Amino acid sequence: DAKKLVRSPSGLRMVPEHRAARSPFGLDEPPWVPDKECPRCMQCDTKFDFITRKHHCRRCGKCFCDKCCSKKVPLPRMCFVDPVRQCAECALVSQKETEFYDKQLKVLMNGATFFVTLGTSDKSELMVCRLSNNQRYLVLDGDSHYEIEIIQISTVQILTEGFTPGGGNTRAIGMILQYKVPGSEEVAQMKFTAGEDFSCNRKLSASWLAAMHKATKLLYESRDQ
């Protein structure tokens, strides 16, 4: 998808030419709290003057002094080219998201193999499941082929096993995915189950499911913006 370089008060952004092509995990730039409404830092309450200048967090749009908004952190969810100024709270959130963009997004795009069951069927099909390169579709390939638009996904339930009363670790073994069928109000369901044939496949499937769990959280946040 074609992209263009745009300049906003917050910095340079590389965004899709058409809004419909944007990543479903993306966030819009927030409106800045007007300077006239910020006589003091919204974190430490320091009064602004000629020496203590105002700075806006690029993630939340609130107004802070330099001490409370000094960190420059990557913010790929808003398509910024370079790290941008953020308040301490937002910087922490953005830093945690970096792992998703640096590691887990690649895991989703590389894909993993699952037995996929449609609806209430008692038959399953072995399929390779991956996220499309433009991040907008979940692609399933086997004897059949499906493409589920990410924004149509309504719920994701990760299935786990291995819990013990002593607090042992659980392991992701599958998921139940519900999504809206385009052009109707119908909700379809798919169940993904990791195969038990090779330990390496189980490990890859568990990593893919963990990445999908994180992706779902980001998707819900984008919708709630």
Side-chain angles (χ1 to χ4, degrees), residues 9-30:
S10 298
L12 287 173
R13 302 169 65 222
M14 184 65 74
V15 300
E17 286 193 354
H18 304 288
R19 185 175 177 81
R22 62 174 285 181
S23 166
F25 308 117
L27 295 173
D28 291 328
E29 283 188 84

Side-chain angles (χ1 to χ4, degrees), residues 207-219:
S207 297
W208 194 92
L209 290 167
M212 188 65 187
H213 181 59
K214 178 63 176 178
T216 303
K217 287 185 175 181
L218 298 186
L219 181 63

Side-chain angles (χ1 to χ4, degrees), residues 1 5 24 51 59 68 81 86 101 104 132 150 155 166 225:
D1 296 307
L5 189 65
I51 297 176
R59 188 180 181 109
C68 295
V81 175
Q86 298 177 57
Y101 279 90
Q104 294 168 322
S132 63
I150 294 295
T155 61
Q225 185 186 46

